[in-house]
Structure formats: structure tokens, C-alpha cells
Amino acid sequence: MTPIAASAETGQPLAADAPFFIVMNAGSGRQQADATRVVLERELGAARRRFELRVVDDPRRLREVARDAAAAARAQQGVLVGAGGDGTLCTVAHAALDANCPFAVLPRGTFNYFSRDHGIPADPEQSTRLLLDARAYPVQVGFVNGRMFLVNASLGLYPRLLEDREIYKRQFGRSRLVALWSALSTMLKPHRHLRLHIDHEGSTQELRSSTLFVGNNRLQMEQIGMPNEARALEQGLLVAIAPRPVGRLLHLWLSLHGAAGRLSDSEHVASFTFTHITVTHPSRKRRLIKIATDGEIAKLQMPLEFRVSEKPLLLLKPEPAVAEANRS
């Protein structure tokens, strides 16, 4: 049993007067930020708990603001809170991990895989009230090179899907339907297959695929129909998934299979679990390559090292039985 799994049943209580330092990405609009402030003042104010809301208007400053808030949380024995979607939460969580302070979540995204997987309610009032009596539990996070991810990391076609999705969102708004339509459109476009070398447990294998997807979220694994891989995450492992080289129509069929929760039934998908792998590209050994981590795109230099973090993130969430009942 891993150290995280061994201590996952008992959370750490917080001081009754621990302050909250909340970092919110205002990318979804000022109206949502103002509504969040009203809820915080009502729920935390009624409990006489001190909080500080830092709204980030420029996404380029999110990392800096998160680090400053994390330093304040550590100095005052408080909690760093991220308010936003999975990408925002990952950036703020990374600051909490570096500062060794507890982390909490106010979900404000479209899919909210991280918060849903840990049983944190999407309702603003409920997630805010949870801050007052939740314990801090250790949860697993992953890294690719120096970049952390809570939900997943990928290279190849998947980052392209995310880039196209952002274009569609700017044109048609943020919704799951828009995200689905964008994905279908991208899947029907021509795409190249990567030729990757993967060093895993002392051996090297060659993998040809349109994308390499590394998952760290039970809910997402279960939804695409890979329950065995979902259970592996609870054992301190990450999951690598790669579709075998196929044409565009079959690739689309695989995506629809995943959307229907039946991806594990397909013989056209390779998967394995690991704690650490190194990925190289024979023709791009030292070049930059696009990586998506929790919906955010970055360019990282080959080789890529995917690994489970040795240090867990301390997350405020419901007790395990309640969290499991809340997952959806």
C-alpha cells in the first residue's frame, strides 16, 4: 500500500481559525467573481472566518498571484484555495504543494473532473461551507518534467483538440456541447502519428500513436470505460493510454467508444500503468513539443519524464464515505 493510500482514510484537522487565501481566475467574467465574493462573505462571514479573495484578471499573472497567496497561507497557517476550472486549480495547487500548505477547491469550470472525483460539490454555497469543517487528505498528483497535473497530461492530437476547443469557445461560448462539437470537427481533420520511445521499468518500447494520454483521475477513467486503470490510480500509479495507428474514421469511432464508456473493449487501444516513464522522439530528441496539462497548453523540451509526485497534495474534502457518495 502506498503512503498516500495508507493515510487516505484519516484527514488532518485544521485550526478553528485558519484563514483562507482564495485565488480566482476571472477568465469566466467579472460577474462570476462578484457572485463568488457574495457567497464567501455570506458563508464565511457568518462563521467569522477570515478570508482574502485575490481575483486574477490577467491569466499570465495567475502563477505569481498563487505563489504569493501560498506564502501568506503558509506564514499564517491557513489554506490556499483555488476557484476556477481544472487548469486554474492545477496552477494554484502547484503553489500549495511547493509551499507545503493545505489546498481547497471552489469549482467554477465546465467539467470539474478534479473536484468531482474527490466528492467536492459544484454548488457554490455547498463548496464554500465545506471549507469550514473539511479535513485535509493526501491526494496523488503527477508531473511531466517540472509541470504538475491533477487530472491528465498528453501530447500529440489531444493538445490540438484543446486548442481548437478554445477557438470554438470564444466563438460559441463555454458548454459541454460546444466542446463535443469541436472535438468531432478536429477528429475529422488529417493528423499525424507520433513515433515515440518509452523507457519503462528498465526496457524501451516503440509506440506509434496519434496521442499519448496520461491519466490521474478515477472519474475520467471510469467514464471512458477503463475501470481497471481507474483502480490502479488508487495504488499510486498513473495510466498511459494510446490509440494504435488507425485512420480518421476509426479514430473517431474510438472516441465515440470512449464517450460511451467502452474504450477498454477496443483492440485498437494500448494502455499500461506506471510510476515513472521517460518519453523520447527519435527525430525530436531535444526539441520542444506541445503538452497539455489539465487543459492548459505548454511547450516542454524532450525527453519527457512523467512521474507520480513523491509528495502528496493535502486537499480539503469530505470524509471518504461522503466523498464517494458525492462523486458523479
Side-chain angles (χ1 to χ4, degrees):
M1 183 176 289
T2 66
I4 293 179
S7 55
E9 295 299 320
T10 58
Q12 298 180 12
L14 301 177
D17 59 349
F20 300 105
F21 296 85
I22 303 156
V23 177
M24 182 173 188
N25 186 351
S28 298
R30 268 286 168 179
Q31 185 174 1
Q32 188 179 66
D34 292 340
T36 297
R37 186 183 296 276
V38 169
V39 173
L40 291 169
E41 290 175 346
R42 182 173 65 245
E43 301 296 337
L44 300 185
R48 297 187 177 181
R49 289 293 288 276
R50 184 163 60 91
F51 74 91
E52 179 181 312
L53 177 61
R54 305 186 184 191
V55 179
V56 182
D57 294 300
D58 184 351
R60 294 172 296 182
R61 296 193 61 242
L62 180 61
R63 190 177 305 274
E64 173 192 350
V65 173
R67 287 175 177 171
D68 289 344
R74 177 177 172 82
Q76 301 181 44
Q77 297 184 322
V79 179
L80 181 63
V81 184
D86 287 325
T88 296
L89 299 184
C90 184
T91 298
V92 182
H94 198 167
L97 188 73
D98 287 343
N100 292 310
C101 67
F103 175 65
V105 170
L106 298 177
R108 298 293 186 272
T110 302
F111 293 98
N112 297 319
Y113 275 116
F114 180 70
S115 58
R116 289 165 59 203
D117 190 30
H118 292 287
I120 297 170
D123 179 78
E125 285 79 9
Q126 292 180 20
S127 58
T128 302
R129 291 189 203 113
L130 180 64
L131 300 178
L132 296 171
D133 54 15
R135 291 172 173 254
Y137 292 84
V139 300
Q140 175 177 292
V141 299
F143 275 90
V144 51
N145 292 4
R147 193 173 177 90
M148 194 178 89
F149 57 95
L150 301 173
V151 179
N152 59 55
S154 59
L155 61 149
L157 179 61
Y158 195 70
R160 180 179 170 184
L161 285 168
L162 295 177
E163 288 182 321
D164 290 350
R165 188 176 75 186
E166 287 305 309
I167 295 173
Y168 271 71
K169 282 182 178 180
R170 286 194 291 270
Q171 292 179 328
F172 305 109
R174 292 179 176 270
S175 73
R176 296 191 183 191
L177 183 60
V178 169
L180 177 60
W181 180 254
S182 170
L184 291 175
S185 175
T186 304
M187 296 292 294
L188 290 174
K189 297 176 183 176
H191 54 264
R192 296 184 302 172
H193 290 102
L194 300 172
R195 185 162 65 94
L196 304 173
H197 288 175
I198 299 179
D199 294 328
H200 178 221
E201 296 182 345
S203 63
T204 300
Q205 61 175 312
E206 182 172 295
L207 176 68
R208 289 191 69 241
S209 179
S210 62
T211 192
L212 176 65
F213 180 93
V214 176
N216 184 45
N217 186 272
R218 289 185 305 156
L219 180 63
Q220 193 171 53
M221 292 296 102
E222 291 168 355
Q223 286 188 344
I224 63 176
M226 304 191 79
N228 292 335
E229 288 76 4
R231 286 190 289 271
L233 296 174
E234 299 177 334
Q235 300 168 7
L237 300 169
L238 296 172
V239 177
I241 303 172
R244 304 187 192 280
V246 294
R248 276 178 282 170
L249 291 179
L250 186 52
H251 212 299
L252 178 59
W253 179 86
L254 284 175
S255 299
L256 295 175
H257 225 49
R262 298 176 55 191
L263 197 60
S264 62
D265 296 342
S266 175
E267 61 182 8
H268 300 291
V269 175
S271 67
F272 61 93
T273 58
F274 66 92
T275 57
H276 180 276
I277 60 172
T278 301
V279 179
T280 57
H281 193 300
S283 63
R284 306 176 67 169
K285 291 183 179 179
R286 288 292 175 183
R287 292 176 60 184
L288 295 175
I289 189 168
K290 284 184 181 179
I291 300 292
T293 53
D294 293 347
E296 303 295 324
I297 308 295
K299 288 187 176 181
L300 300 182
Q301 191 174 49
M302 287 288 201
L304 300 174
E305 293 189 8
F306 292 87
R307 62 179 177 86
V308 176
S309 174
E310 296 178 356
K311 182 172 64 173
L313 177 71
L314 290 177
L315 174 68
L316 266 66
K317 64 176 186 173
E319 61 181 87
V322 175
E324 194 64 29
N326 288 345
R327 290 178 70 231
S328 61

